[in-house]
Amino acid sequence: MITLQSKAYEAPYQGEPAVWLTYGSYEAVILPAIGGNCIAFRDTVNQYRFLHEPTLSEMESFKAKPIIHGIPVLFPPNRYEDGKFPWNGKCYEFPVNEPSTGNHLHGFFHDIPWAVEQFSADDYSSRITLVQKVGTEHPVYKYFPHEFSMKLSYTLNEMGLHQHILVRNDGAESMPCLLAFHTSINAPFASNSQASDYRFKMTTGQRWALNERMLPTGQFQPLTEEEELMKTTGLSPYFEAMDNHYTSQPQNGRNRMELTDTYNRVTLVYDVGTSFKQWMIWNNNATEGFFCPEPQINLVNAPSVPLPAEQTGLISLNPGEIWEETGRLYCVQQQE
């Protein structure tokens, strides 16, 4: 699976089985056995590493908690009060895995193996598709009792890294579809720049008020002057400690985060599609190095928030129905 300008092949990444995609100067790495995580996206000519990758010494802690590196898949995403998930007159019980809040956090698919359906390369791109087929014998079924399929695809070409996610209800009754990506972006991503060279913008709307358990109250809180700048001229991704939840508010028909390296005059665009009605932003207590702009379908704790499903993003899939969305990471060189 090798052409003159693209490859798709199996080789270890930090000692773990991985599938590598290349196209021109671009390179991406996917870890099927660790949540199907796209752990790396790089420009090897310009020495840009766009995603927060684990070092060799961090691999054990990463495997134990694969959340703050690469692009973990969260399904269902973020927090659920007391681990309870009410749905159609039933109440599913998720493990309480965040003792500090007494909540369930981040769902079931970011740390389990995904099956590789195919990987290939040609003159136009390199690509991989990973699959989860959840049936009655799947380990997730006991917590989330629905039969369904998920397909996650990455394609690498001259337009950057393209992502496609699909969920299909294979069962006989309606199922909830709640999903996010805990995308971890390096700032700086260039080897010759510093964190102070970076500014980011996002298509955020209103900020949800969260209680002491990091759960939405159903109300909004006023935006600060700095949060208003996130929508317009941008500011440092480390301007203050952030673990914030916002609605999305597309601009010019697109829903995205833009991170500009002012030293190299290049902007990384993370375009996530308008089905993601919410954003989370987490920056590790404003520690320079990486931050996480996380696109979400749904509001945190959506099934338990007394607001309309259209506002909370609590999507229902009837038998046989499909939900899908795309995203893309790519660079724009700024004009002199």
Side-chain angles (χ1 to χ4, degrees):
M1 298 180 185
I2 298 173
T3 72
L4 289 177
Q5 62 180 351
S6 66
K7 300 178 186 178
Y9 61 96
E10 294 177 296
Y13 171 90
Q14 307 282 45
E16 293 298 317
V19 176
W20 294 67
L21 306 179
T22 69
Y23 188 92
S25 66
Y26 284 134
E27 181 175 74
V29 185
I30 292 86
L31 301 176
I34 308 177
N37 195 323
C38 180
I39 199 65
F41 173 42
R42 308 165 179 165
D43 182 327
T44 58
V45 171
N46 291 303
Q47 297 186 335
Y48 298 157
R49 292 196 174 209
F50 300 113
L51 299 179
H52 181 224
E53 301 180 38
T55 64
L56 185 59
S57 64
E58 292 173 327
M59 284 302 291
E60 290 307 312
S61 60
F62 161 67
K63 287 188 287 185
K65 192 175 182 181
I67 285 295
I68 62 170
H69 299 88
I71 310 181
V73 182
L74 309 183
F75 186 104
N78 220 286
R79 294 178 173 90
Y80 298 89
E81 186 174 5
D82 302 324
K84 297 185 185 303
F85 191 104
W87 178 255
N88 281 359
K90 303 175 185 177
C91 188
Y92 307 152
E93 295 281 348
F94 297 168
V96 174
N97 57 2
E98 190 180 45
S100 62
T101 65
N103 300 319
H104 173 80
L105 181 66
H106 289 336
F108 306 106
F109 290 94
H110 62 280
D111 58 357
I112 65 173
W114 288 59
V116 177
E117 183 176 83
Q118 65 88 24
F119 62 90
S120 60
D122 55 33
D123 290 338
Y124 306 102
S125 64
S126 58
R127 64 199 72 84
I128 183 173
T129 299
L130 305 112
V131 179
Q132 288 284 348
K133 181 74 173 176
V134 178
T136 56
E137 301 303 313
H138 193 283
V140 169
Y141 187 87
K142 64 180 178 180
Y143 301 117
F144 194 84
H146 295 277
E147 296 181 69
F148 64 104
S149 303
M150 297 176 66
K151 286 196 176 187
L152 176 63
S153 299
Y154 287 99
T155 302
L156 198 62
N157 57 27
E158 78 278 5
M159 295 185 182
L161 181 67
H162 179 264
Q163 179 191 62
H164 178 263
I165 183 75
L166 178 150
V167 181
R168 183 184 67 194
N169 184 353
D170 299 326
E173 57 184 34
S174 69
M175 64 168 280
C177 178
L178 298 90
L179 181 140
F181 294 101
H182 202 291
T183 309
S184 298
I185 302 290
N186 279 335
F189 57 71
S191 59
N192 63 342
S193 57
Q194 302 175 11
S196 57
D197 296 320
Y198 285 72
R199 299 290 181 270
F200 86 112
K201 298 193 297 184
M202 288 181 68
T203 51
T204 49
Q206 295 177 286
R207 180 176 174 181
W208 292 100
L210 304 179
N211 63 20
E212 67 282 354
R213 296 178 66 184
M214 298 300 292
L215 300 170
T217 65
Q219 304 296 315
F220 296 115
Q221 67 182 75
L223 297 180
T224 66
E225 291 183 13
E226 289 84 0
E227 288 175 307
E228 292 286 0
L229 291 177
M230 284 165 42
K231 306 181 188 183
T232 55
T233 58
L235 73 170
S236 168
Y238 312 113
F239 74 92
E240 67 178 17
M242 287 189 289
D243 193 353
N244 304 345
H245 196 16
Y246 302 89
T247 63
S248 65
Q249 187 173 321
Q251 298 177 14
N252 196 27
R254 290 176 295 149
N255 192 27
R256 64 197 186 278
M257 185 282 301
E258 297 180 0
L259 178 65
T260 297
D261 178 332
T262 61
Y263 181 80
N264 291 291
R265 299 182 60 82
V266 63
T267 297
L268 175 68
V269 180
Y270 181 34
D271 192 320
V272 299
T274 55
S275 292
F276 292 100
K277 300 294 183 65
Q278 317 287 335
W279 285 102
M280 285 292 300
I281 310 178
W282 182 77
N283 67 359
N284 194 24
N285 203 31
T287 304
E288 292 182 354
F290 74 96
F291 73 110
C292 299
E294 308 168 34
Q296 290 192 187
I297 295 175
N298 58 286
L299 179 66
V300 169
N301 201 35
S304 299
V305 178
L307 291 172
E310 183 62 31
Q311 189 173 1
T312 64
L314 184 57
I315 292 175
S316 173
L317 289 181
N318 289 324
E321 288 187 338
I322 292 170
W323 175 90
E324 63 185 326
E325 187 54 279
T326 60
R328 187 182 294 276
L329 282 160
Y330 66 98
C331 276
V332 177
Q333 190 67 47
Q334 303 302 310
Q335 300 300 313
E336 296 293 339

